[in-house]
Amino acid sequence: MFSGFDNIIVIVFWISTFIAFFKGAYDMWREYRSTKEKSVLYYLIVLIITWFWFNPYELVALHPFVLMAYYWNRSKWMRNAMFVLVLVPFVIRVWLIAASM
């Protein structure tokens, strides 16, 4: 069984992905309104669709991948933040599963 530490990881992951989702959606909407580029609109639509494929208890979320692709040439800091948001929970989850075996 998982300990209380696992629940803390899930809560932190959920809160950080929630904040990242809304920051990314706001940035995309702002850029779309100023440039009218269809690619930014497509990123926004895919971001909203991937929000519904989100299971915080399994630490699975697809929208950080969409945000990482969107921020790839726009913001190095946000690209790296999404990379950490994807990798760190995965590594911690695998470590906790391996420790419980």
Side-chain angles (χ1 to χ4, degrees), residues 37-71:
E37 284 187 36
K38 291 219 182 245
S39 64
V40 177
L41 180 63
Y42 297 149
Y43 272 120
L44 181 60
I45 291 168
V46 170
L47 179 71
I48 292 169
I49 290 170
T50 57
W51 172 255
F52 295 106
W53 188 313
F54 177 64
N55 185 353
Y57 291 102
E58 293 297 324
L59 298 179
V60 174
L62 293 177
H63 62 275
F65 290 104
V66 175
L67 289 171
M68 192 171 17
Y70 171 73
Y71 284 120

Side-chain angles (χ1 to χ4, degrees), residues 26-43:
Y26 176 72
D27 288 346
M28 288 177 196
W29 179 249
R30 212 173 44 174
E31 183 177 346
Y32 175 71
R33 283 183 49 202
S34 65
T35 63
K36 299 294 185 200
E37 284 187 36
K38 291 219 182 245
S39 64
V40 177
L41 180 63
Y42 297 149
Y43 272 120

Side-chain angles (χ1 to χ4, degrees), residues 52-95:
F52 295 106
W53 188 313
F54 177 64
N55 185 353
Y57 291 102
E58 293 297 324
L59 298 179
V60 174
L62 293 177
H63 62 275
F65 290 104
V66 175
L67 289 171
M68 192 171 17
Y70 171 73
Y71 284 120
W72 194 261
N73 289 327
R74 290 173 175 86
S75 172
K76 185 177 181 179
W77 188 90
M78 281 300 291
R79 176 185 66 213
N80 293 338
M82 292 305 107
F83 191 65
V84 168
L85 193 60
V86 169
L87 276 185
V88 169
F90 176 75
V91 170
I92 291 172
R93 189 67 162 168
V94 168
W95 177 68

Side-chain angles (χ1 to χ4, degrees), residues 4-18:
F5 180 68
D6 190 40
N7 292 334
I8 292 171
I9 292 170
V10 169
I11 291 170
V12 169
F13 177 75
W14 191 88
I15 290 171
S16 59
T17 56
F18 189 75

